[in-house]
Amino acid sequence: GDSVTQMEGPVTLSEEACLTINCTYTATGYPSLFWYVQYPGEGLQLLLKATKADDKGSNKGFEATYRKETTSFHLEKGSVQVSDSAVYFCALSDADTGRRALTFGSGTRLQVQP
Amino acid sequence: DTEVTQTPKHLVMGMTNKKSLKCEQHMGHRAMYWYKQKAKKPPELMFVYSYEKLSINESVPSRFSPECPNSSLLNLHLHALQPEDSALYLCASSQDRYLEVRDGYTFGSGTRLTVV
């Protein structure tokens, strides 16, 4: 079945450092890929998405590129802020499975220190 | 309106109580979802409704009973819960375009449930 693997956290960075959170996936078809962010005490917010190979999703300074050859969708940001501290979830949706639901990775907690 | 609204935000209930969680969206989405999230874990799918019909039940115990009275509302009825059911319950909705959730979900902020 489909699966998403994320790097273990927590990731602790100083403000203005570069961020990369790795995400790889296994899917039977050609999935759409997503990054969601969850701030403390809140629900999940869609951060960015990509629906086909080589697409780049971007939002709020975050970027991720859909790499079919490496089955990856790594999240990157050039300069993190304290306000970026949250849990980040990589997810996929695969039409080939006929399953109308997202598959989530385990989540990566990001802590940004001033 | 681009939000999914969940009520209540917090709920404490005893093991013999009956309570309901409510979820509402006015974005015209035709798929709605219930997820359960334990601390430091990803959301786990419980139920999927598509065009007001239950399409996925992830082998959820019968003490959780979903209901979709119309295309904008989704309820989760709770009865005889156990302390291990304490969690954040998230509702989400999406456009139901073919079988693929191409645009992602819109999540509510959740109901934090404590069973005592």
Side-chain angles (χ1 to χ4, degrees), chain A residues 40-62:
Chain A
E42 298 185 11
L44 278 71
Q45 299 176 24
L46 179 63
L47 182 59
L48 53 83
K49 66 179 181 182
T51 57
K52 61 183 188 298
D54 300 325
D55 269 1
K56 178 186 281 189
S58 60
N59 186 23
K60 299 181 181 179
F62 291 90

Side-chain angles (χ1 to χ4, degrees), chain A residues 30-32 34 36 38 41-46 49 51 89 93-95 98-102 104-107 109, chain B residues 31 33 35 37 40-43 45 48 50 55-56 58 88 90 96 98-105 107-109:
Chain A
Y30 298 94
S32 295
F34 306 87
Y36 282 85
Q38 186 173 32
E42 298 185 11
L44 278 71
Q45 299 176 24
L46 179 63
K49 66 179 181 182
T51 57
F89 292 98
S93 163
D94 187 354
R99 177 181 165 83
R100 192 175 293 109
L102 290 175
F104 285 94
S106 57
R109 183 175 301 276
Chain B
Y33 311 79
Y35 278 83
Q37 187 179 26
K40 300 186 178 181
K41 296 291 186 182
L45 183 67
V48 179
S50 178
S55 60
I56 296 178
E58 292 287 283
L88 180 68
L90 293 164
D96 190 24
Y98 309 113
L99 295 178
E100 186 171 0
V101 184
R102 190 175 287 272
D103 293 332
Y105 295 175
F107 278 88
S109 57

Side-chain angles (χ1 to χ4, degrees), chain A residues 6-18:
Chain A
Q6 288 181 238
M7 60 189 291
E8 293 267 340
V11 174
T12 302
L13 296 173
S14 297
E15 205 164 22
E16 298 184 1
C18 294

Side-chain angles (χ1 to χ4, degrees), chain A residues 12-87:
Chain A
T12 302
L13 296 173
S14 297
E15 205 164 22
E16 298 184 1
C18 294
L19 169 71
T20 299
I21 299 178
N22 291 336
C23 171
T24 57
Y25 68 89
T26 303
T28 53
Y30 298 94
S32 295
L33 301 173
F34 306 87
W35 276 102
Y36 282 85
V37 58
Q38 186 173 32
Y39 298 101
E42 298 185 11
L44 278 71
Q45 299 176 24
L46 179 63
L47 182 59
L48 53 83
K49 66 179 181 182
T51 57
K52 61 183 188 298
D54 300 325
D55 269 1
K56 178 186 281 189
S58 60
N59 186 23
K60 299 181 181 179
F62 291 90
E63 293 182 339
T65 301
Y66 189 141
R67 302 285 188 200
K68 183 168 174 289
E69 64 276 13
T70 54
T71 61
S72 65
F73 193 55
H74 304 321
L75 183 67
E76 298 177 327
K77 188 175 186 184
S79 176
V80 294
Q81 306 299 312
V82 172
S83 57
D84 294 326
S85 298
V87 180

Side-chain angles (χ1 to χ4, degrees), chain B:
Chain B
D1 188 353
T2 58
E3 289 187 347
V4 173
T5 303
Q6 289 188 244
T7 54
K9 292 197 179 304
H10 300 275
L11 178 62
V12 179
M13 61 185 291
M15 289 187 284
T16 58
N17 290 160
K18 285 185 180 180
K19 296 286 184 184
S20 296
L21 309 184
K22 181 179 174 183
C23 173
E24 192 167 4
Q25 59 88 14
H26 297 286
M27 294 176 281
H29 288 173
R30 302 312 298 270
M32 296 185 76
Y33 311 79
W34 280 114
Y35 278 83
K36 173 183 177 180
Q37 187 179 26
K38 302 284 274 185
K40 300 186 178 181
K41 296 291 186 182
E44 299 173 19
L45 183 67
M46 300 176 73
F47 303 104
V48 179
Y49 272 84
S50 178
Y51 294 85
E52 294 102 70
K53 286 184 170 39
L54 183 65
S55 60
I56 296 178
N57 176 341
E58 292 287 283
S59 302
V60 178
S62 60
R63 56 185 185 269
F64 296 91
S65 175
E67 178 196 19
C68 189
N70 60 57
S71 60
S72 300
L73 283 175
L74 185 66
N75 298 320
L76 186 63
H77 302 297
L78 314 172
H79 173 55
L81 295 193
Q82 303 297 310
E84 58 265 29
D85 296 321
S86 299
L88 180 68
Y89 288 84
L90 293 164
C91 175
S93 69
S94 69
Q95 290 284 0
D96 190 24
R97 200 178 313 172
Y98 309 113
L99 295 178
E100 186 171 0
V101 184
R102 190 175 287 272
D103 293 332
Y105 295 175
T106 302
F107 278 88
S109 57
T111 294
R112 188 159 300 281
L113 174 67
T114 303
V115 181
V116 297

